[in-house]
């Protein structure tokens, strides 16, 4: 067999494939010391090692099988995959809303790269329409690829570029904006854009997918359809995240950019609104508001773009017996703002106090958020809380830790005046601090069955 049918395999792994006459794209049964695996042998990238054979198993996941564990392999079939999506020009339909899609990367913009077997960011408008033709029934779409990164690589530069791009599109008169984005840090970007793009006249909808479009269980197409509908039709002019609601594809949910969080590493319904109820439920047929108060769509273009961000803000996730040198190191390295993620109502141990005092003397802005995610900081209840407030730590209510990190970064990009910083931190732009949380809401999200009925009654009354 010639080497080009073993795309990318070399060394020991290549020898194993040759020995058992199994080709790349061959369906195979592999007997190993860890059991039997069945799936399709995928190509390998240039820089990959020569000790593993990568197999796409029925669930859609790629697994690497260590060749030292292999007893035998057998090719049971062969089907060369064609992951190229046909490109088609997106049609224009008079009367449909004009939606702009910004692509930033992530799984939603990915397909399996047949050269390397890896899931890579790829994005083109024609491909999108070729893959999800239903989009043409929802809106007139324009697309622009702004970045092609997995979302762990998003940061201030990208937030600022996106905020400016949103401002320009609103100026151009779009009816709504969708941003395709990796899911891992979708909630950080949701918060950043909420602070940077204020007084929005149209919806800005962030969307991702947990499973790439080469997998049968992919959520990419449905999430995109929902997001386009939300951007084009809904009258909620806010920065939102649109993703699967329940684990099935029954409906999607629209979450506020400041109250949403990725809560599961693999579920498609990973995004949950924390400390509040989602904004609305969305299906291909309708958008049903859950919250009554939201910023309504307007005809003017008076958006305020505030593209500021300091990269001198850090986060300290407290653990028992944390030593003060951790905090000292942040201050020594020049961090001007620190979001502490404390235990319970907002606590850290006494051992940290001297370091907190040193940070306070240096004028470091310190805010307390909670590991519990649900609930409020209450720093008057115990001595610990009072001690920390006396050392300059400000409780941030029920602001989520990541949101507090984004907000303090955004503020310190504009002012260093402690009074002004505090005033801005505690004055919500869009519900990042709320007056109260829905009664027993957290139980519902954690599956507290007897409470569900009562909760639903209260929300809809
Ligand atoms: N790591 C990917 C990202 O956040 C995962 C995803 O897109 O879901 O970009």
């Amino acid at each position: 067999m010639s080497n080009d049918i073993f795309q990318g395999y070399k060394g020991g792994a290549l020898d194993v494939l040759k020995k058992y006459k199994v080709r790349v794209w061959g369906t195979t049964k592999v007997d190993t010391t860890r059991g039997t695996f069945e799936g399709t042998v995928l190509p390998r990238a240039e820089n990959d090692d020569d000790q593993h054979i990568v197999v796409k198993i029925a669930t859609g996941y790629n697994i690497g099988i260590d060749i030292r564990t292999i007893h035998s392999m057998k090719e049971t079939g062969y089907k060369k995959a064609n992951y190229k999506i046909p490109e088609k020009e997106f049609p224009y339909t008079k009367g449909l809303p004009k939606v702009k899609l910004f692509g930033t990367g992530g799984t939603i913009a990915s397909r399996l790269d047949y050269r390397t077997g890896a899931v890579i960011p790829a994005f083109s408008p024609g491909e999108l329409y070729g893959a999800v033709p239903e989009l043409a029934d929802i809106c007139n779409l324009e697309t622009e690829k702004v970045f092609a990164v997995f979302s762990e690589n998003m940061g201030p530069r990208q937030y600022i570029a996106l905020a400016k791009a949103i401002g320009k599109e609103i100026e151009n008169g779009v009816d709504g904006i969708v941003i395709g984005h990796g899911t891992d840090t979708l909630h950080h970007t949701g918060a950043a854009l909420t602070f940077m793009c204020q007084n929005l006249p149209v919806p800005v909808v962030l969307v991702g997918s947990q499973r790439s479009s080469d997998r049968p269980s992919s959520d990419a197409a449905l999430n995109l359809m929902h997001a386009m509908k939300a951007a084009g039709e809904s009258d909620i002019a806010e920065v939102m995240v649109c993703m699967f609601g329940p684990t099935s594809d029954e409906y999607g949910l629209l979450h506020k950019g400041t109250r949403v969080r990725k809560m599961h590493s693999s579920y498609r319904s990973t995004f949950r609104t924390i400390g509040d109820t989602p904004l609305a439920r969305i299906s291909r047929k309708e958008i049903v508001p859950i919250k009554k108060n939201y910023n309504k769509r307007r005809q003017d273009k008076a958006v305020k773009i505030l593209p500021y961000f300091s990269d001198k803000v850090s986060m300290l996730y407290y653990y028992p017996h944390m030593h003060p040198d951790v905090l000292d190191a942040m201050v020594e390295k020049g961090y001007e703002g620190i979001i502490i993620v404390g235990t319970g109502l907002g606590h850290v141990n006494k051992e940290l106090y001297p370091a907190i005092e040193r940070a306070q003397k240096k004028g470091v802005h310190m805010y307390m958020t909670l590991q519990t995610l649900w609930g409020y900081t209450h720093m008057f209840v115990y001595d610990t809380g009072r001690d920390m407030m006396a050392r300059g730590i400000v409780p941030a209510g029920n602001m989520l830790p990541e949101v507090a990190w984004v907000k303090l970064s955004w503020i310190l990009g504009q002012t260093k005046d402690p009074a002004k910083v505090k005033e801005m931190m505690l004055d919500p732009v869009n519900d990042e601090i709320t007056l109260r949380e829905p009664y027993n809401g957290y139980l519902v999200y954690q599956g507290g069955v007897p409470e569900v009925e009562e909760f639903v009654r209260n929300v809809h009354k």
Side-chain angles (χ1 to χ4, degrees):
M1 288 188 197
S2 73
N3 270 4
D4 48 321
I5 52 173
F6 298 112
Q7 298 163 52
Y9 279 91
K10 54 195 177 199
L14 178 62
D15 294 342
V16 172
L17 289 181
K18 281 187 168 168
K19 177 172 164 198
Y20 295 107
K21 298 196 170 53
V22 177
R23 295 163 286 178
V24 165
W25 301 121
T27 40
T28 182
K29 216 172 168 171
V30 195
D31 266 326
T32 77
T33 51
R34 302 173 146 208
T36 305
F37 298 98
E38 282 189 77
T40 306
V41 177
L42 293 179
R44 301 229 62 194
E46 239 171 60
N47 299 327
D48 289 345
D49 68 48
D50 60 3
Q51 293 299 303
H52 291 85
I53 290 170
V54 177
V55 174
K56 190 174 202 63
I57 54 175
T59 58
Y61 280 113
N62 301 346
I63 55 164
I65 302 176
D66 188 330
I67 54 169
R68 286 166 307 186
T69 66
I70 296 177
H71 293 314
S72 69
M73 285 183 85
K74 191 173 165 20
E75 189 175 279
T76 53
Y78 180 80
K79 189 168 173 274
K80 191 163 166 50
N82 180 10
Y83 287 98
K84 186 98 186 85
I85 304 162
E87 295 219 22
K88 289 190 201 153
E89 201 180 322
F90 204 96
Y92 175 82
T93 313
K94 208 166 160 238
L96 287 183
K98 187 174 154 197
V99 172
K100 176 83 179 208
L101 169 71
F102 288 122
T104 69
T107 301
I108 186 135
S110 301
R111 56 185 161 76
L112 194 83
D113 180 358
Y114 51 88
R115 286 169 298 117
T116 62
V119 173
I120 51 139
F123 179 86
S124 98
E127 269 188 355
L128 201 63
Y129 177 54
V132 196
E134 294 91 337
L135 293 177
D137 303 331
I138 303 172
C139 59
N140 289 310
L141 185 69
E142 259 184 38
T143 63
E144 188 180 329
K145 177 170 154 182
V146 260
F147 320 109
V149 296
F150 285 119
S151 73
E152 49 272 29
N153 301 313
M154 292 289 291
R157 194 174 65 76
Q158 288 79 6
Y159 302 152
I160 288 171
L162 270 179
K164 288 182 177 167
I166 289 169
K168 225 167 83 199
E169 282 312 316
I170 291 172
E171 192 58 34
N172 290 343
V174 284
D175 295 307
I177 294 169
V178 174
I179 301 170
H181 195 292
T183 56
D184 293 356
T185 69
L186 201 52
H187 48 300
H188 299 78
T189 304
L193 295 181
T194 304
F195 301 134
M196 289 183 181
C197 306
Q198 294 190 25
N199 201 38
L200 278 173
V202 299
V204 172
V205 188
L206 286 150
V207 65
S209 77
Q210 280 283 81
R211 315 228 173 120
S212 57
S213 48
D214 59 293
R215 295 177 63 178
S217 63
S218 175
D219 47 340
L222 197 63
N223 286 344
L224 263 177
M225 285 188 265
H226 288 159
M228 299 286 175
K229 190 177 170 76
E233 287 175 27
S234 93
D235 68 338
I236 311 174
E238 299 194 11
V239 175
M240 300 175 258
V241 166
C242 176
M243 292 286 290
F244 256 49
T247 41
S248 66
D249 57 7
E250 254 170 89
Y251 59 85
L253 285 172
L254 295 175
H255 307 271
K256 236 178 230 284
T258 54
R259 294 238 60 100
V260 66
R261 200 169 187 282
K262 186 172 184 178
M263 296 300 283
H264 199 283
S265 61
S266 60
Y267 272 28
R268 293 172 299 182
S269 50
T270 173
F271 282 91
R272 303 286 94 188
T273 290
I274 309 288
D276 207 343
T277 46
L279 273 161
R281 197 157 47 87
I282 183 162
S283 67
R284 289 185 62 194
K285 276 205 221 92
E286 55 183 356
I287 302 170
V288 184
I290 298 172
K291 280 182 82 74
K292 292 195 188 85
N293 296 326
Y294 52 81
N295 297 319
K296 299 264 176 343
R297 185 190 278 278
R298 306 187 313 271
Q299 290 310 314
D300 67 72
K301 297 174 178 172
V303 63
K304 268 195 272 165
I305 303 298
L306 306 159
Y308 311 108
F309 209 91
S310 157
D311 63 359
K312 282 291 169 207
V313 178
S314 189
M315 200 186 264
L316 188 74
Y317 195 96
Y318 175 73
Y319 49 84
H321 197 51
M322 178 181 268
H323 298 313
D325 54 358
V326 183
L327 180 53
D328 283 332
M330 285 181 178
V331 178
E332 275 159 30
K333 289 284 174 202
Y335 284 89
E336 298 169 346
I338 296 174
I339 300 299
I340 301 173
V341 193
T343 57
L345 299 170
H347 302 140
V348 299
N349 63 358
K350 281 201 161 40
E351 209 186 332
L352 283 194
Y353 288 6
I356 296 172
E357 281 161 17
R358 287 190 283 276
Q360 186 190 21
K361 270 205 199 94
K362 285 236 167 134
V364 177
H365 306 264
M366 290 178 285
Y367 287 81
M368 180 62 73
T369 60
L370 302 178
Q371 295 177 8
T372 60
L373 301 179
W374 281 83
Y376 292 79
T377 45
H378 283 293
M379 296 178 67
F380 288 107
V381 179
Y382 298 102
D383 282 352
T384 317
R386 281 192 288 266
D387 289 348
M388 280 186 293
M389 288 203 296
R391 287 165 178 81
I393 297 178
V394 181
N398 69 339
M399 205 185 314
L400 295 169
E402 294 86 0
V403 176
W405 171 77
V406 171
K407 190 169 186 191
L408 188 56
S409 306
W410 172 71
I411 295 169
L412 288 180
Q414 305 169 66
T415 177
K416 312 273 185 216
D417 172 31
K420 183 76 190 147
V421 172
K422 186 171 167 188
E423 183 196 317
M424 288 175 80
M425 264 310 266
L426 301 183
D427 181 19
V429 170
N430 191 348
D431 283 353
E432 63 273 22
I433 299 178
T434 58
L435 276 180
R436 67 186 68 81
E437 297 190 342
Y439 176 67
N440 269 353
Y442 90 98
L443 279 182
V444 174
Y445 288 118
Q446 302 307 321
V449 179
E451 290 82 6
V452 171
E453 283 289 332
E454 197 190 346
F455 176 78
V456 171
R457 262 201 308 275
N458 283 336
V459 168
H460 290 288
K461 80 169 170 235

